[in-house]
């Protein structure tokens, strides 16, 4: 009920609606503070009911079944059958004590005369024009301008919430800055308090099933409450799960910060930008730029997309400087400064003045600042500014559509002002800030308008200090840093860029040492920094080799680099960073007591002396030679892992053919199921399907399954092993449990529905490697299913019923 893939992409795009994955639904519901008493729940854009179902389940887990009413809206009535099934399930779960009303109407245009205690929503994301009925409705009824359906939905939902009521919404982050959403931000901040904000570190994680590249956040709001501190959490992905010990929804790599509201919305900011920093490092970036509050109009400048669209004017374009033709600037002309014209270029160099082109050509006077709209993820900076000096190049100029152009009334700007903008926009500090609020590699004029700038006098002073003829990144950063220090009075030691410089340097070291890509990341860099005791302002000569446990490493990272990971991230550090460091021979595990028990609270890690000696000399002129000598003594982890992985594959022979399964306990258990369970309990069975964690197709006799009445297109939903016990015409569905769950009640029903057309009777089996692993899941095992443990291959456990190993039919 949490996703629906039968809707094609065009339908989803037309509606601007994408269904919320189950894990995110559950996380959103867990954000509600109060789920007690009679709940009246609103779900605008309810789809197939995924979100309101998750609220019901969360409420029941908190021992409250008093959900009085659920009201849902959706414009797509083709979802009726699925939504009907969902509401029937809800009635059952709530013992028919809830009134559920579903309206196939446009939520935004429907008059609603009641208020709600709770709202949960994933509103549609779609722009709306100024003269659309939706825009007019919001303008008339809410008194605000809102150019997108998602902000309009949220604004109306806020109006329909009772005082003290709660709202949880997953929406794009785009509303947090820029003049486009200023009216909506003003409305939002006047009506609700922001209690919690959750960030996704990668743009494609929230709706990965639909391949949506959109930077989303989750908001938890309370209507009419006085604004207090804000909890900001972030996660690498949307892969949430419920921690059975604490009964909370969490995920690996979860970070959290509680901040004063003034850190989120600067009280001196008339545009009310909402800043969301997931770490102290990001907060320092925001704080350092908070003194810059001028807009482009304040400094007497504009920014526009280049007006020349080449394919529409191809008859006017030329590669040569002919008479009557004027300079035409493409992004290709901006590599390493302005480089025009380019002989042999694939892009034209000039454009002719014609009836078609004249409206797109500007007066070639003064200085323009040009920024490419498209960058690659690999580029060191998102914003790369280039100064264009008009003086020697003719009366008119054309700027191509893939450029952003700073100008004033389509004319150039003052030289020092342009140089000041050049330095500011090219600074590392601004680049780090920009990456925080824009996950795009595309830099649009809208984004540049949304930025705050130093005032005009400051920009002109910066311009006078910049040496345009000798661009030097460190000099530019020093100039901007000096301006900020003069404004704030703070010392250089507080510069957050020192932290990022160290992280970047360590990532380069990890690459040089042969670490795989999976360990060339911020988490691994911070781990090694902790094991070197290398603080942001320390030098390489000062590194040490402390012995630290995982918790101590995470604490050091929090205190020195401002990155606070949730406690449940310990296993991520251990399994995805420290284990690889040890394997690579860079770090020793329990160097003081190698025979220490693995689960000892005194377990520790320490950088090896040879690594310390190498890195202390990192700034030496012979660093490359020292690195080669170090690597010559040990194989790189890339090579070591590749060899180890091939050697560790699990061999499995099926019908005389050798298959190699991905290394790991999961594959070992699958091998035991086929070689031990099958012959003992269902001798002579035919193997239909074997899944593999790396290659989902594994082994699959699709046609034989089809002969049994079953057609399956989504192999990811199949159990790990399927056997056909032909002697009794039973289909044995086996889940191999090493990391994921067993055949619990939910999985039992999923398999039952998936194989509902089977002409063979169904048997459900959960397999474990040993009884210890079984003990963790014993409370979840579904009735009318079997459990087999590989360490006792001739024994079987049956959960309830009058039969042992067989299809169960009610007596």
């Amino acid at each position: 009920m949490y996703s629906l893939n039968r809707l094609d992409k065009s339908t989803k795009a037309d509606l601007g609606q994408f269904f919320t994955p189950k894990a995110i639904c559950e996380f959103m519901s867990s954000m509600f503070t109060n789920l007690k008493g009679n709940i009246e729940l609103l779900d605008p854009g309810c789809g197939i009911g995924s979100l309101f179902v998750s609220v019901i389940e969360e409420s029941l887990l908190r021992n409250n079944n008093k959900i009085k009413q659920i009201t849902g809206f959706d414009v797509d009535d083709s979802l009726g059958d699925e939504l009907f099934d969902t509401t029937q399930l809800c009635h059952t779960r709530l013992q028919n004590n809830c009134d559920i009303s579903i309206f196939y109407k446009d939520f935004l245009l429907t008059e609603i005369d009641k208020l709600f205690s709770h709202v949960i929503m994933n509103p549609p994301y779609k722009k709306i024009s100024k003269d659309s009925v939706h825009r007019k409705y919001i303008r008339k009824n809410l008194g605000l301008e809102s150019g997108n359906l998602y902000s309009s939905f949220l604004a109306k939902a806020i109006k329909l919430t009772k005082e003290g009521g709660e709202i949880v919404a997953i929406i794009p982050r785009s509303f947090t800055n820029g003049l486009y959403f200023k009216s909506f931000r003003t409305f939002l901040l006047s009506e609700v308090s922001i209690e919690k904000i959750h960030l996704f570190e990668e743009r494609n994680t929230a709706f990965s099933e639909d391949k949506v590249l959109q930077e989303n956040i989750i908001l938890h709001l309370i209507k009419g409450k006085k604004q207090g501190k804000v909890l900001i959490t972030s996660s690498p992905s949307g892969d949430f799960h419920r921690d059975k010990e604490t009964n909370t929804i969490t995920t690996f790599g979860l970070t959290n910060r509680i901040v004063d509201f003034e850190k989120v919305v600067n009280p001196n900011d008339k545009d009310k930008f909402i800043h969301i920093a997931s770490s102290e490092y990001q907060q320092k970036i925001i704080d350092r730029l908070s003194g810059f509050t001028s807009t482009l109009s304040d400094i007497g400048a504009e920014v526009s997309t280049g007006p020349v669209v080449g394919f529409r004017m191809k008859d006017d374009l030329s590669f040569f400087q002919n008479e009557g033709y004027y300079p035409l600037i493409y992004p290709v002309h901006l590599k390493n400064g302005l480089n025009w014209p380019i002989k042999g270029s694939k892009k034209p160099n000039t454009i002719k003045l014609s009836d078609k082109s004249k409206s797109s050509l500007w007066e070639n006077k003064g200085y323009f600042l040009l920024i490419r709209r498209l960058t690659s993820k690999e580029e060191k900076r998102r914003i790369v500014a280039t100064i264009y000096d008009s003086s020697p190049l003719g009366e008119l100029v054309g700027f191509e559509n893939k450029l952003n152009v700073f100008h004033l009334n389509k004319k150039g700007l003052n030289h020092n002002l342009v140089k000041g903008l050049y330095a500011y926009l090219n600074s590392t500090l601004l680049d780090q800030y920009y990456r925080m609020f824009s996950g795009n590699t595309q830099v649009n004029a809208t984004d540049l308008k949304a930025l705050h700038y130093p005032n005009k006098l400051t920009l002109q002073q910066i311009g006078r200090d910049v040496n345009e003829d000798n661009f030097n990144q460190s000099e530019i950063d020093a100039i901007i840093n000096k301006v900020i220090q003069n404004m704030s009075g703070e010392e250089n030691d507080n510069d957050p860029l020192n932290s990022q410089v160290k992280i970047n340097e360590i990532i380069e070291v990890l690459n040089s040492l042969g670490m795989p890509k999976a360990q060339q990341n911020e988490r691994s860099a911070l781990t090694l920094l902790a094991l070197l005791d290398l603080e942001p302002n320390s030098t390489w000569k000062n590194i040490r080799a402390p012995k630290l446990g995982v918790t101590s490493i995470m604490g050091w990272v929090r205190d020195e680099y401002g990155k606070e990971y949730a406690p449940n991230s310990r296993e991520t550090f251990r399994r995805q960073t420290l284990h690889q460091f040890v394997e690579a021979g860079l770090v020793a595990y329990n160097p003081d007591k190698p025979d220490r028990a693995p689960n000892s609270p005194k377990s520790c890690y320490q950088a090896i002396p040879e690594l310390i000696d190498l890195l202390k000399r990192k700034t030496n002129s012979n660093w490359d030679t020292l690195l080669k000598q170090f690597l010559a003594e040990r194989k790189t982890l890339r090579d070591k892992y590749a060899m180890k992985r091939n050697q560790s594959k699990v061999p499995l022979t099926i019908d005389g053919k050798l298959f190699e399964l991905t290394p790991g306990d999961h594959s070992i258990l699958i091998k035991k199921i086929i070689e031990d369970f099958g012959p003992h309990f269902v001798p002579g069975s035919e193997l239909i399907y074997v899944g593999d964690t790396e290659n989902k197709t594994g082994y699959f006799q699709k046609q034989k399954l089809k002969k049994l009445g079953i057609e399956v297109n989504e192999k990811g939903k199949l159990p790990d092993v399927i056997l056909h016990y032909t002697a009794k015409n039973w289909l044995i569905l086996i889940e191999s449990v090493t990391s994921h769950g067993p055949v619990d009640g939910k999985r039992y029903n999923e398999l039952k529905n998936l194989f509902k057309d089977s002409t063979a009777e169904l048997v459900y089996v959960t397999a474990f490697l040993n009884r210890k692993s079984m003990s963790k899941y014993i409370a979840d095992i579904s009735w009318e299913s079997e459990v087999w443990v590989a360490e006792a291959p001739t024994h079987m456990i049956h959960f309830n019923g009058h039969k042992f190993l067989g299809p169960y039919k009610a007596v």
Side-chain angles (χ1 to χ4, degrees):
M1 74 183 64
Y2 289 96
S3 64
L4 196 64
N5 290 320
R6 67 173 177 78
L7 293 184
D8 60 43
K9 291 182 180 179
S10 61
T11 301
K12 291 180 179 181
D14 288 343
L15 297 174
Q17 180 68 34
F18 296 89
F19 294 108
T20 318
K22 175 185 176 182
I24 293 178
C25 289
E26 293 176 343
F27 178 71
M28 289 174 65
S29 295
S30 74
M31 294 176 80
F32 284 113
T33 302
N34 181 12
L35 285 175
K36 296 179 181 178
N38 292 319
I39 293 171
E40 295 172 295
L41 177 68
L42 171 65
D43 183 353
C46 62
I48 55 173
S50 307
L51 282 168
F52 67 71
V53 167
S54 69
V55 177
I56 291 173
E57 295 301 327
E58 181 69 25
S59 180
L60 292 172
L61 282 168
R62 299 191 200 180
N63 298 314
N64 176 45
N65 65 350
K66 295 181 181 178
I67 296 185
K68 179 181 177 182
Q69 186 175 45
I70 296 172
T71 303
F73 286 84
D74 205 285
V75 294
D76 187 5
D77 58 8
S78 71
L79 304 174
D81 291 343
E82 287 83 1
L83 196 49
F84 177 78
D85 291 342
T86 303
T87 57
Q88 292 301 105
L89 173 64
C90 294
H91 282 304
T92 301
R93 296 290 285 142
L94 295 170
Q95 300 175 351
N96 294 314
N97 291 323
C98 178
D99 176 22
I100 303 177
S101 302
I102 305 296
F103 299 95
Y104 292 107
K105 295 181 178 180
D106 188 322
F107 167 72
L108 208 55
L109 303 180
T110 303
E111 294 298 328
I112 303 170
D113 58 2
K114 71 179 289 9
L115 299 179
F116 300 88
S117 63
H118 293 74
V119 178
I120 191 163
M121 62 192 304
N122 170 15
Y125 172 68
K126 191 175 182 181
K127 290 184 178 180
I128 48 179
S129 61
K130 288 185 177 180
D131 57 352
S132 68
V133 290
H134 296 99
R135 191 77 166 260
K136 291 175 181 176
Y137 178 92
I138 289 296
R139 190 180 298 134
K140 177 181 177 182
N141 292 279
L142 297 179
L144 62 90
E145 289 295 331
S146 183
N148 201 296
L149 283 178
Y150 83 80
S151 51
S152 302
F153 266 56
L154 182 53
K156 183 169 182 178
I158 289 171
K159 281 296 186 183
L160 292 172
T161 303
K162 295 178 179 179
E163 289 294 304
E166 299 183 57
I167 302 142
V168 175
I170 181 167
I171 58 175
R173 188 178 180 173
S174 53
F175 79 94
T176 59
N177 57 74
L179 300 180
Y180 188 68
F181 286 100
K182 181 177 179 180
S183 176
F184 171 69
R185 286 195 301 275
T186 302
F187 169 83
L188 180 80
L189 297 173
S190 68
E191 294 281 336
V192 299
S193 69
I194 300 176
E195 298 291 301
K196 305 180 190 107
I197 305 174
H198 182 81
L199 294 167
F200 297 97
E201 293 174 13
E202 296 291 337
R203 285 187 301 147
N204 60 351
T205 57
F207 298 101
S208 56
E209 195 172 288
D210 291 309
K211 296 182 173 59
V212 176
L213 285 176
Q214 173 65 56
E215 199 164 6
N216 295 284
I217 62 174
I218 302 175
L219 293 177
H220 173 223
L221 315 169
I222 296 183
K223 176 79 171 285
K225 182 184 175 186
K226 183 179 178 181
Q227 182 66 61
K229 294 179 182 291
V230 182
L231 171 64
I232 299 176
T233 58
S234 70
S235 63
S237 71
D239 186 21
F240 298 100
H241 62 275
R242 188 173 291 278
D243 187 313
K244 293 187 177 181
E245 292 183 6
T246 62
N247 199 32
T248 56
I249 303 292
T250 186
T251 186
F252 290 118
L254 184 74
T255 66
N256 50 70
R257 301 174 63 240
I258 297 176
V259 301
D260 292 329
F261 186 66
E262 289 72 19
K263 297 289 186 181
V264 179
V265 179
N266 185 335
N268 297 320
D269 180 7
K270 62 181 182 294
D271 295 321
K272 301 186 184 300
F273 283 10
I274 297 174
H275 296 103
I276 310 171
S278 62
S279 67
E280 283 301 316
Y281 167 73
Q282 290 188 351
Q283 188 63 60
K284 287 179 180 178
I285 294 285
I286 293 169
D287 290 347
R288 285 178 73 77
L289 287 172
S290 63
F292 299 147
T293 59
S294 295
T295 63
L296 283 176
S297 61
D298 293 335
I299 64 176
E302 304 171 60
V303 63
S304 307
T305 303
V308 176
V309 182
F311 73 88
R312 293 178 182 167
M313 303 179 189
K314 55 186 178 183
D315 293 338
D316 294 331
L317 308 184
S318 174
F319 293 93
F320 309 102
Q321 293 176 268
N322 301 319
E323 187 176 345
Y325 282 74
Y326 297 96
L328 174 58
I329 310 300
Y330 274 86
V332 71
H333 294 117
L334 304 186
K335 290 184 178 179
N336 301 316
L338 183 65
N339 183 17
W340 182 94
I342 299 177
K343 292 183 179 180
S345 171
K346 293 182 180 180
K347 296 294 184 182
N349 288 304
T350 59
I351 183 169
K352 178 177 65 176
L353 178 63
S354 69
D355 290 341
K356 185 180 288 187
S357 68
K358 63 182 179 181
S359 62
S360 299
L361 299 182
W362 292 359
E363 188 175 344
N364 201 16
K365 183 179 292 185
Y367 291 82
F368 297 91
L369 191 70
L370 310 179
I371 293 175
R372 285 179 290 149
R373 288 176 57 198
L374 301 176
T375 62
S376 67
K377 286 188 175 182
E378 291 72 29
E379 292 195 61
K380 290 184 177 180
R381 294 199 314 278
R382 284 286 177 266
I383 300 176
V384 181
T386 302
I387 295 175
Y388 172 85
D389 179 1
S390 63
S391 55
L393 298 178
E395 299 174 2
L396 301 173
V397 63
F399 296 112
E400 199 269 337
N401 191 250
K402 293 184 179 62
L403 293 174
N404 297 301
V405 187
F406 283 79
H407 63 98
L408 182 61
N409 298 324
K410 301 181 181 180
K411 296 179 183 179
L413 300 166
N414 169 275
H415 192 200
N416 282 331
L417 179 61
V418 165
K419 287 204 297 178
L421 284 168
Y422 163 85
Y424 178 64
L425 290 167
N426 279 326
S427 68
T428 304
L429 189 70
L430 193 279
D431 177 72
Q432 293 293 306
Y433 175 80
Y434 179 79
R435 288 170 187 265
M436 268 187 265
F437 79 78
S438 176
N440 291 318
T441 55
Q442 184 166 323
V443 182
N444 293 314
T446 303
D447 300 326
L448 298 169
K449 290 174 185 174
L451 294 174
H452 283 161
Y453 294 81
N455 63 44
K456 188 172 184 177
L457 291 176
T458 301
L459 283 169
Q460 289 175 330
Q461 182 57 55
I462 292 171
R464 285 188 282 271
D465 293 339
V466 169
N467 182 359
E468 180 188 350
D469 298 325
N470 183 24
F471 173 81
N472 185 300
Q473 186 67 56
S474 60
E475 286 182 10
I476 281 180
D477 289 339
I479 290 170
I480 300 300
N481 198 43
K482 182 180 178 181
V483 170
I484 293 171
Q485 286 178 20
N486 291 338
M487 290 171 59
S488 63
E490 66 179 29
E491 299 296 326
N492 185 53
D493 285 351
N494 292 323
D495 187 353
L497 296 182
N498 295 337
S499 300
Q500 194 61 41
V501 167
K502 282 292 190 294
I503 290 170
N504 292 342
E505 287 179 339
I506 284 288
I507 289 175
E508 289 179 7
V509 166
L510 291 170
N511 179 53
S512 300
L513 292 172
M515 296 301 295
K517 277 287 184 185
Q519 280 70 50
Q520 293 178 39
N521 53 37
E522 184 178 80
R523 181 194 64 249
S524 296
L526 290 168
T527 301
L528 187 53
L529 285 166
L531 291 170
L532 301 175
D533 196 22
L534 188 58
E535 299 169 359
N537 299 307
S538 295
T539 65
W540 290 97
K541 293 180 181 180
N542 294 332
I543 62 175
R544 302 186 306 121
K547 291 190 285 288
L548 299 175
V550 179
T551 302
S552 298
I553 288 171
M554 292 170 64
W556 188 94
V557 166
R558 178 197 62 229
D559 295 340
E560 301 300 336
Y561 282 81
K563 184 81 172 182
E564 184 167 5
Y565 289 89
N568 71 314
S569 298
R570 285 190 295 267
E571 282 303 299
T572 308
F573 275 77
R574 187 179 290 113
R575 294 180 182 179
Q576 297 181 24
T577 291
L578 288 162
H579 175 76
Q580 288 80 1
F581 284 178
V582 172
E583 286 289 316
L586 305 177
V587 169
Y589 179 51
N590 288 326
D592 55 332
K593 189 174 175 27
D595 60 347
R596 181 176 286 134
N599 59 350
S600 169
K602 295 183 180 180
S603 292
C604 62
Y605 301 83
Q606 185 179 38
I608 62 171
E610 295 88 344
L611 180 64
I612 296 294
D613 184 55
L614 171 70
L615 294 181
K616 277 188 174 182
R617 294 184 282 175
K618 186 177 184 305
T619 56
N620 289 11
S621 58
N622 63 338
W623 160 255
D624 290 338
T625 302
L626 295 169
L627 178 64
K628 287 178 182 178
Q629 291 173 352
F630 179 84
L631 292 175
E633 298 173 6
R634 43 185 49 78
K635 271 187 170 292
T636 67
L637 188 57
R638 287 192 190 99
D639 297 338
K640 191 174 180 180
Y641 262 23
M643 184 180 297
K644 183 177 179 181
R645 189 168 182 81
N646 288 329
Q647 290 174 343
S648 301
K649 285 190 174 181
V650 179
L652 179 64
T653 302
I654 303 173
D655 296 335
K657 185 178 179 181
L658 178 65
F659 288 81
E660 289 186 324
L661 302 178
T662 305
D665 289 345
H666 182 76
S667 295
I668 291 172
L669 180 53
I670 283 180
K671 182 179 173 73
K672 289 179 179 293
I673 290 168
I674 294 168
E675 296 181 352
D676 295 343
F677 170 85
H680 189 82
F681 288 102
V682 285
S685 290
E686 188 173 17
L687 185 61
I688 301 294
Y689 173 80
V690 179
D692 185 17
T693 54
E694 194 173 76
N695 176 15
K696 269 298 186 185
T697 55
Y699 175 86
F700 190 15
Q701 296 200 69
K702 195 170 184 178
Q703 290 303 314
K704 290 191 176 180
L705 199 60
K706 190 174 181 180
K707 287 181 180 179
L708 295 171
I710 305 155
E711 288 194 59
V712 178
N713 293 318
E714 298 176 57
K715 291 180 286 297
K717 292 185 177 181
L718 292 175
D720 294 306
V721 178
I722 302 175
L723 296 168
H724 183 212
Y725 189 23
T726 53
K728 295 191 175 183
N729 196 26
W730 293 351
L731 207 56
I732 317 295
L733 311 177
I734 309 171
E735 291 287 13
S736 162
V737 181
T738 49
S739 58
H740 297 293
V743 179
D744 56 11
K746 179 176 177 294
R747 185 60 171 146
Y748 186 99
N749 286 325
E750 286 176 353
L751 292 173
K752 183 178 178 181
N753 290 330
L754 187 63
F755 291 89
K756 65 181 184 297
D757 297 324
S758 173
T759 58
E761 295 185 282
L762 306 178
V763 179
Y764 307 88
V765 180
T766 301
F768 297 97
L769 274 171
N770 48 55
R771 281 184 285 184
K772 183 179 179 181
S773 61
M774 179 187 71
S775 65
K776 294 193 298 182
Y777 296 97
I778 198 74
D780 300 327
I781 306 294
S782 172
W783 297 117
E784 284 72 62
S785 70
E786 325 292 333
V787 171
W788 179 76
V789 181
E791 71 177 3
T794 60
H795 294 270
M796 181 81 75
I797 304 168
H798 181 65
F799 274 67
N800 199 15
H802 61 282
K803 287 189 177 183
F804 176 74
L805 184 60
Y808 187 87
K809 293 181 179 179
V811 179

